[in-house]
Amino acid sequence: EKKFSLCFSRQTTASRKGTEAGVMTLGGFDTRLQKTPMVYANHQWSYKYFGVHVKAVYIRSNGGESALPDSDEQVVHKLDVSGGIMIDSGTTDTYLPLKLQHKFEALWREITGAPYSNDEVEISHEDLLALPTVLFQLEAHADSINEELEPKKTVGLAGLVDAKNPRDILVAMPATHYMEYSVEYDIYKPRIYFRQKSDAVLGANFMMGHDILF
């Protein structure tokens, strides 16, 4: 079958001899790379690019690496959005639809007390982990739903954020993925941008930390 999967890792340093970026599996996926069951999103487009239907974006306070919260202090705030967005491993950063920018920035300020920008910042690792986690709700592939998985307890399912669509897919993008670190200058740069809908892309920093089957 024409299938492959990409499992990107996060490296804080680079070398001229090469830097391990993750694993590409041809013909399917390797369960040895996974800590949780594979869940399946609906493929939005049938031409040229891979895409998904994004039904909502959430900003969760007090961080967390997983789609499942690990603290009662992690509160989810919803941004209503609906539409297809391309997934592209060749695009380093993530670009969200421009219409989300105002609401995203307003929620960010409400949660953090500071404005969101793409300027470089000096913060401690502890403060980095406390930055919001961005969650993406993707439409599920109806024919691939595993009814045995508990939506409120399974990493990657939307049971805790959407009671009407609990088996939708929920992908976490923590600050350790969207904040790019410069070892040379000891600074971080936010790598979530906003641009016209036709140019919106979920890039490599969105894919990081997940084993994604195409």
Side-chain angles (χ1 to χ4, degrees):
E1 292 187 68
K2 294 182 179 180
K3 296 190 292 186
F4 68 95
S5 62
L6 296 174
C7 186
F8 287 165
S9 60
R10 175 68 167 174
Q11 302 296 331
T12 57
T13 59
S15 168
R16 293 183 181 274
K17 296 181 180 180
T19 302
E20 184 177 319
V23 177
M24 179 179 184
T25 305
L26 299 178
F29 57 87
D30 189 341
T31 55
R32 294 175 298 177
L33 302 173
Q34 301 170 356
K35 297 180 179 179
T36 58
M38 178 73 78
V39 291
Y40 298 88
N42 196 32
H43 182 206
Q44 179 72 13
W45 297 314
S46 59
Y47 61 91
K48 195 173 182 179
Y49 297 111
F50 293 97
V52 291
H53 181 80
V54 177
K55 298 172 72 172
V57 175
Y58 304 85
I59 301 178
R60 187 176 68 198
S61 62
N62 295 301
E65 295 282 314
S66 172
L68 289 180
D70 52 30
S71 167
D72 292 337
E73 296 179 353
Q74 293 172 342
V75 180
V76 171
H77 305 263
K78 183 179 181 180
L79 292 170
D80 287 314
V81 61
S82 181
I85 297 184
M86 178 175 66
I87 294 182
D88 181 23
S89 61
T91 300
T92 305
D93 305 320
T94 288
Y95 299 83
L96 299 182
L98 193 61
K99 66 180 182 180
L100 276 182
Q101 184 172 6
H102 178 72
K103 292 182 179 179
F104 184 98
E105 291 178 348
L107 266 180
W108 182 278
R109 181 184 285 274
E110 178 183 329
I111 293 170
T112 67
Y116 179 83
S117 78
N118 297 112
D119 295 336
E120 297 166 340
V121 294
E122 293 184 33
I123 56 174
S124 67
H125 185 69
E126 183 179 88
D127 288 339
L128 173 74
L129 297 180
L131 286 176
T133 294
V134 183
L135 303 168
F136 296 83
Q137 182 179 345
L138 314 180
E139 181 180 68
H141 185 262
D143 295 336
S144 302
I145 291 176
N146 184 347
E147 298 289 350
E148 295 182 359
L149 299 179
E150 169 54 54
K152 290 187 177 182
K153 297 181 180 180
T154 301
V155 175
L157 293 183
L160 288 177
V161 296
D162 189 345
K164 293 183 178 180
N165 301 282
R167 296 191 181 277
D168 273 350
I169 311 309
L170 197 65
V171 181
M173 189 179 187
T176 51
H177 295 182
Y178 64 75
M179 296 289 285
E180 184 178 67
Y181 179 62
S182 169
V183 176
E184 182 178 1
Y185 298 105
D186 192 26
I187 55 175
Y188 291 90
K189 181 177 177 65
R191 307 294 290 210
I192 295 177
Y193 300 90
F194 296 89
R195 61 187 186 186
Q196 295 299 330
K197 180 180 179 181
S198 60
D199 296 323
V201 181
L202 300 175
N205 59 356
F206 164 85
M207 300 171 64
M208 195 181 299
H210 307 288
D211 191 15
I212 301 180
L213 175 67
F214 294 90

PDB file of all heavy atoms in Angstrom, residues 7-11 20-23 208-209:
ATOM      1  N   CYS A   7       7.709  10.531  12.100  1.00  0.00           N
ATOM      2  CA  CYS A   7       7.737  10.736  13.550  1.00  0.00           C
ATOM      3  C   CYS A   7       8.909  11.662  13.854  1.00  0.00           C
ATOM      4  O   CYS A   7      10.062  11.223  13.906  1.00  0.00           O
ATOM      5  CB  CYS A   7       7.888   9.394  14.271  1.00  0.00           C
ATOM      6  SG  CYS A   7       7.775   9.498  16.071  1.00  0.00           S
ATOM      7  N   PHE A   8       8.600  12.953  13.998  1.00  0.00           N
ATOM      8  CA  PHE A   8       9.643  13.951  14.214  1.00  0.00           C
ATOM      9  C   PHE A   8       9.998  14.070  15.694  1.00  0.00           C
ATOM     10  O   PHE A   8       9.135  14.052  16.556  1.00  0.00           O
ATOM     11  CB  PHE A   8       9.185  15.324  13.722  1.00  0.00           C
ATOM     12  CG  PHE A   8       9.138  15.459  12.223  1.00  0.00           C
ATOM     13  CD1 PHE A   8       8.458  16.506  11.630  1.00  0.00           C
ATOM     14  CD2 PHE A   8       9.772  14.548  11.404  1.00  0.00           C
ATOM     15  CE1 PHE A   8       8.408  16.638  10.252  1.00  0.00           C
ATOM     16  CE2 PHE A   8       9.731  14.656  10.024  1.00  0.00           C
ATOM     17  CZ  PHE A   8       9.047  15.712   9.443  1.00  0.00           C
ATOM     18  N   SER A   9      11.290  14.214  15.956  1.00  0.00           N
ATOM     19  CA  SER A   9      11.752  14.482  17.317  1.00  0.00           C
ATOM     20  C   SER A   9      12.174  15.946  17.416  1.00  0.00           C
ATOM     21  O   SER A   9      12.237  16.661  16.419  1.00  0.00           O
ATOM     22  CB  SER A   9      12.930  13.572  17.675  1.00  0.00           C
ATOM     23  OG  SER A   9      14.017  13.792  16.785  1.00  0.00           O
ATOM     24  N   ARG A  10      12.469  16.379  18.623  1.00  0.00           N
ATOM     25  CA  ARG A  10      12.887  17.765  18.855  1.00  0.00           C
ATOM     26  C   ARG A  10      14.325  17.770  19.347  1.00  0.00           C
ATOM     27  O   ARG A  10      14.640  17.189  20.390  1.00  0.00           O
ATOM     28  CB  ARG A  10      11.982  18.419  19.898  1.00  0.00           C
ATOM     29  CG  ARG A  10      12.405  19.825  20.313  1.00  0.00           C
ATOM     30  CD  ARG A  10      12.227  20.813  19.193  1.00  0.00           C
ATOM     31  NE  ARG A  10      12.328  22.185  19.639  1.00  0.00           N
ATOM     32  CZ  ARG A  10      12.324  23.237  18.817  1.00  0.00           C
ATOM     33  NH1 ARG A  10      12.207  23.055  17.525  1.00  0.00           N
ATOM     34  NH2 ARG A  10      12.419  24.451  19.293  1.00  0.00           N
ATOM     35  N   GLN A  11      15.222  18.400  18.579  1.00  0.00           N
ATOM     36  CA  GLN A  11      16.617  18.491  18.968  1.00  0.00           C
ATOM     37  C   GLN A  11      16.966  19.945  19.262  1.00  0.00           C
ATOM     38  O   GLN A  11      16.566  20.855  18.526  1.00  0.00           O
ATOM     39  CB  GLN A  11      17.514  17.951  17.850  1.00  0.00           C
ATOM     40  CG  GLN A  11      17.216  16.507  17.449  1.00  0.00           C
ATOM     41  CD  GLN A  11      17.476  15.524  18.564  1.00  0.00           C
ATOM     42  OE1 GLN A  11      18.336  15.759  19.415  1.00  0.00           O
ATOM     43  NE2 GLN A  11      16.755  14.423  18.566  1.00  0.00           N
ATOM     44  N   GLU A  20      19.860  14.003  14.427  1.00  0.00           N
ATOM     45  CA  GLU A  20      18.735  13.075  14.364  1.00  0.00           C
ATOM     46  C   GLU A  20      17.425  13.841  14.443  1.00  0.00           C
ATOM     47  O   GLU A  20      17.160  14.565  15.399  1.00  0.00           O
ATOM     48  CB  GLU A  20      18.818  12.074  15.512  1.00  0.00           C
ATOM     49  CG  GLU A  20      17.729  11.017  15.449  1.00  0.00           C
ATOM     50  CD  GLU A  20      17.865   9.989  16.554  1.00  0.00           C
ATOM     51  OE1 GLU A  20      19.005   9.575  16.851  1.00  0.00           O
ATOM     52  OE2 GLU A  20      16.837   9.606  17.123  1.00  0.00           O
ATOM     53  N   ALA A  21      16.596  13.680  13.417  1.00  0.00           N
ATOM     54  CA  ALA A  21      15.349  14.445  13.342  1.00  0.00           C
ATOM     55  C   ALA A  21      14.123  13.580  13.569  1.00  0.00           C
ATOM     56  O   ALA A  21      13.013  14.099  13.672  1.00  0.00           O
ATOM     57  CB  ALA A  21      15.241  15.135  11.980  1.00  0.00           C
ATOM     58  N   GLY A  22      14.291  12.275  13.638  1.00  0.00           N
ATOM     59  CA  GLY A  22      13.151  11.389  13.823  1.00  0.00           C
ATOM     60  C   GLY A  22      13.227  10.197  12.903  1.00  0.00           C
ATOM     61  O   GLY A  22      14.301   9.813  12.434  1.00  0.00           O
ATOM     62  N   VAL A  23      12.061   9.622  12.605  1.00  0.00           N
ATOM     63  CA  VAL A  23      12.000   8.376  11.836  1.00  0.00           C
ATOM     64  C   VAL A  23      10.958   8.485  10.736  1.00  0.00           C
ATOM     65  O   VAL A  23       9.849   8.985  10.965  1.00  0.00           O
ATOM     66  CB  VAL A  23      11.649   7.179  12.751  1.00  0.00           C
ATOM     67  CG1 VAL A  23      11.502   5.899  11.933  1.00  0.00           C
ATOM     68  CG2 VAL A  23      12.719   7.002  13.824  1.00  0.00           C
ATOM     69  N   MET A 208       5.778  17.695  15.149  1.00  0.00           N
ATOM     70  CA  MET A 208       6.790  17.244  16.104  1.00  0.00           C
ATOM     71  C   MET A 208       6.192  16.500  17.298  1.00  0.00           C
ATOM     72  O   MET A 208       5.181  16.909  17.856  1.00  0.00           O
ATOM     73  CB  MET A 208       7.567  18.471  16.585  1.00  0.00           C
ATOM     74  CG  MET A 208       8.869  18.193  17.283  1.00  0.00           C
ATOM     75  SD  MET A 208       9.601  19.764  17.789  1.00  0.00           S
ATOM     76  CE  MET A 208       9.819  20.573  16.202  1.00  0.00           C
ATOM     77  N   GLY A 209       6.815  15.400  17.649  1.00  0.00           N
ATOM     78  CA  GLY A 209       6.374  14.653  18.811  1.00  0.00           C
ATOM     79  C   GLY A 209       5.217  13.712  18.537  1.00  0.00           C
ATOM     80  O   GLY A 209       4.706  13.052  19.459  1.00  0.00           O
TER      81      GLY A 209
END
